[in-house]
Amino acid sequence: MISIVGIGPGGYDDMTVRAINAIKNADVVTGYSLYVELVRDLIGNKETFCTEMRGEVERCQKAAEYALSGKNVALISSGDAGVYGMAGLMLKVLEDHPEVKTEVIPGVSACQSGGAVLGAPLVHDFAVISLSDLLTPWTLIEKRLEAAAAADFVIVLYNPGSHKRKDYLYHACTSVLKYKSPDTICGLVKNIGREGEHHSIMTLRELQNTTVDMLTTAFIGNSHTTIINGKMITPRGYHI
């Protein structure tokens, strides 16, 4: 049995009961080393198998090996395992092993937890786009950014920057600025639900010139997004 578990931001208070129970009931816990440490208190002395970034395939293959040997496995992802997480890859690795039972346990994704920190930026239609070009060509990312901006979606940007991708957010904002005003309300949240959490609200032009890392999630409002009492709000059209 493999439980593909979304642990949310990683804090106990932001995890579902199903996620907590899956980890507690597992014989083995596998995952990215940083995320395993976030739930170490739940794991206790259980066997673990961790890999670093870009070790996703190895991680899933090892989880499959454990399951085929008869062990209950919890494969963890931050946020939701089905949103830029491990669910799709794990199910693909098991394509030739339908005898292995699986369950995907949803978690709180960064767009939800980060949006809650900022206020209510996602009350209307929104698009979620990752700026990581490890698995997606930048030309396709750019096309999606422009399409979402042209349609006036609120846009949530995952993986907006890293040591090797310092200027990706700048280029993403350049694409979005073709269709959105430079005064569009935006927000950033870093270390969502973890020690050192920090958030800020700014304009799109200011966002373009802000340095971020992979632990940050960016929110670009639509043409109606505003600030109310220090909170980023996207109205849905209620009349009050």
Side-chain angles (χ1 to χ4, degrees):
M1 172 72 176
I2 300 181
S3 298
I4 310 165
V5 184
I7 63 171
Y12 187 89
D13 290 345
D14 292 317
M15 294 176 65
T16 66
V17 174
R18 282 183 66 197
I20 292 169
N21 287 338
I23 294 172
K24 287 183 175 180
N25 295 331
D27 301 312
V28 183
V29 177
T30 68
Y32 174 43
S33 56
L34 173 64
Y35 302 151
V36 168
E37 289 306 312
L38 290 174
V39 294
R40 178 60 67 180
D41 289 346
L42 291 174
I43 296 172
N45 295 322
K46 296 180 189 295
E47 182 179 359
T48 61
F49 178 81
C50 305
T51 64
E52 300 304 320
M53 295 293 289
R54 302 195 185 188
E56 293 85 358
V57 173
E58 180 187 5
R59 203 180 307 156
C60 289
Q61 290 173 336
K62 192 66 175 181
E65 289 179 20
Y66 282 125
L68 287 166
S69 72
K71 293 184 177 182
N72 288 326
V73 182
L75 172 64
I76 64 172
S77 283
S78 68
D80 185 289
V83 180
Y84 301 116
M86 301 300 296
L89 178 58
M90 186 70 256
L91 295 174
K92 177 63 176 176
V93 167
L94 291 171
E95 184 175 12
D96 295 327
H97 296 284
E99 72 276 16
V100 176
K101 293 183 179 179
T102 61
E103 61 174 348
V104 179
I105 299 177
V108 180
S109 189
C111 63
Q112 298 166 294
S113 53
V117 172
L118 291 171
L122 307 182
V123 173
H124 215 315
D125 300 331
F126 64 95
V128 179
I129 300 172
S130 171
L131 296 190
S132 173
D133 61 351
L134 291 176
L135 301 174
T136 306
W138 179 257
T139 53
L140 180 55
I141 294 172
E142 190 173 48
K143 182 178 180 180
R144 289 171 175 171
L145 285 166
E146 293 187 10
D152 200 27
F153 280 103
V154 173
I155 303 172
V156 185
L157 300 178
Y158 283 46
N159 306 305
S162 68
H163 292 300
K164 295 182 179 180
R165 298 184 293 109
K166 294 181 179 180
D167 59 350
Y168 279 36
L169 180 59
Y170 177 87
H171 292 303
C173 289
T174 298
S175 294
V176 171
L177 279 164
K178 295 178 181 179
Y179 300 96
K180 289 182 180 284
S181 165
D183 295 323
T184 299
I185 302 300
C186 299
L188 288 174
V189 190
K190 181 175 180 177
N191 294 323
I192 301 169
R194 305 171 190 171
E195 184 178 353
E197 178 183 276
H198 174 75
H199 73 278
S200 55
I201 296 176
M202 63 196 72
T203 66
L204 178 55
R205 180 62 73 193
E206 290 170 331
L207 178 67
Q208 184 181 36
N209 295 295
T210 301
T211 300
V212 297
D213 59 23
M214 66 177 292
L215 298 178
T216 303
T217 305
F219 294 74
I220 300 175
N222 68 17
S223 59
H224 299 288
T225 301
T226 187
I227 301 173
I228 301 177
N229 296 328
K231 299 290 187 179
M232 181 178 176
I233 312 295
T234 300
R236 194 177 176 192
Y238 296 110
H239 299 289
I240 58 173

